[in-house]
Amino acid sequence: MSLFKRFGFYLFGVCLGLIFVFYFFKEKNAEFCYLPNCRTLKTIRTQDTLSYSASIQALIDKQSIAKANIDSILTYGDVNFSKSKIDRSEVAPNEHCNTYYIDGYINNEPVELVVYNCKFSAEVKELNKTEQH
């Protein structure tokens, strides 16, 4: 069998395998977060409780913003790690909370969410409008 024919069979098998894998993983909504931004946002979204501060809840109640907008930022936003306050010490890990600044857009306006992320809960503390770059 020629090398060209072997290569063709190999590509055919790889293509069948990829179709099989994509078909089954599409059903599970699997998400592979390897980069720090993705991992941080996923950790915040999957906390046991996600709460809102009184000022954010007031904006939601007045329908100035929707929870879907906040969810969108927590899914597609960019974490500003240089501004965030992250405690990496192992002293009392159950008691400390990290503060993350997440940049995103609401109604095409740049905003910044301030999120306190603790071990089992997260709280959206502030929503600040930022200047567009």
Side-chain angles (χ1 to χ4, degrees), residues 54-106:
S55 61
I56 298 294
Q57 191 62 48
L59 288 173
I60 292 170
D61 292 343
K62 288 191 296 186
Q63 297 179 349
S64 299
I65 60 170
K67 285 186 180 182
N69 295 119
I70 294 173
D71 292 341
S72 176
I73 293 173
L74 292 177
T75 302
Y76 303 109
D78 293 318
V79 180
N80 187 344
F81 287 104
S82 61
K83 196 173 180 182
S84 298
K85 295 172 185 74
I86 303 166
D87 183 13
R88 291 186 173 86
S89 69
E90 295 298 321
V91 178
N94 293 334
E95 297 174 9
H96 76 277
C97 296
N98 296 323
T99 304
Y100 292 104
Y101 291 83
I102 304 169
D103 298 323
Y105 290 91
I106 294 179

Side-chain angles (χ1 to χ4, degrees), residues 13 18 28 34 41 48 78-79 106:
L18 286 174
K28 292 184 177 186
Y34 295 110
L41 293 174
D48 292 341
D78 293 318
V79 180
I106 294 179

Side-chain angles (χ1 to χ4, degrees), residues 6-121:
R6 277 190 245 166
F7 189 67
F9 281 123
Y10 171 77
L11 285 178
F12 180 72
V14 168
C15 289
L16 281 178
L18 286 174
I19 291 169
F20 180 76
V21 167
F22 283 123
Y23 177 76
F24 283 105
F25 278 121
K26 177 181 70 171
E27 302 275 329
K28 292 184 177 186
N29 292 328
E31 185 178 19
F32 302 103
C33 287
Y34 295 110
L35 299 176
N37 189 66
C38 182
R39 288 173 52 186
T40 301
L41 293 174
K42 184 176 181 180
T43 301
I44 292 170
R45 284 193 318 268
T46 58
Q47 289 287 17
D48 292 341
T49 57
L50 177 64
S51 59
Y52 304 100
S53 67
S55 61
I56 298 294
Q57 191 62 48
L59 288 173
I60 292 170
D61 292 343
K62 288 191 296 186
Q63 297 179 349
S64 299
I65 60 170
K67 285 186 180 182
N69 295 119
I70 294 173
D71 292 341
S72 176
I73 293 173
L74 292 177
T75 302
Y76 303 109
D78 293 318
V79 180
N80 187 344
F81 287 104
S82 61
K83 196 173 180 182
S84 298
K85 295 172 185 74
I86 303 166
D87 183 13
R88 291 186 173 86
S89 69
E90 295 298 321
V91 178
N94 293 334
E95 297 174 9
H96 76 277
C97 296
N98 296 323
T99 304
Y100 292 104
Y101 291 83
I102 304 169
D103 298 323
Y105 290 91
I106 294 179
N107 300 329
N108 293 326
E109 292 183 23
V111 295
E112 176 184 69
L113 281 181
V114 180
V115 179
Y116 289 0
N117 187 31
C118 302
K119 184 162 180 136
F120 298 108
S121 65

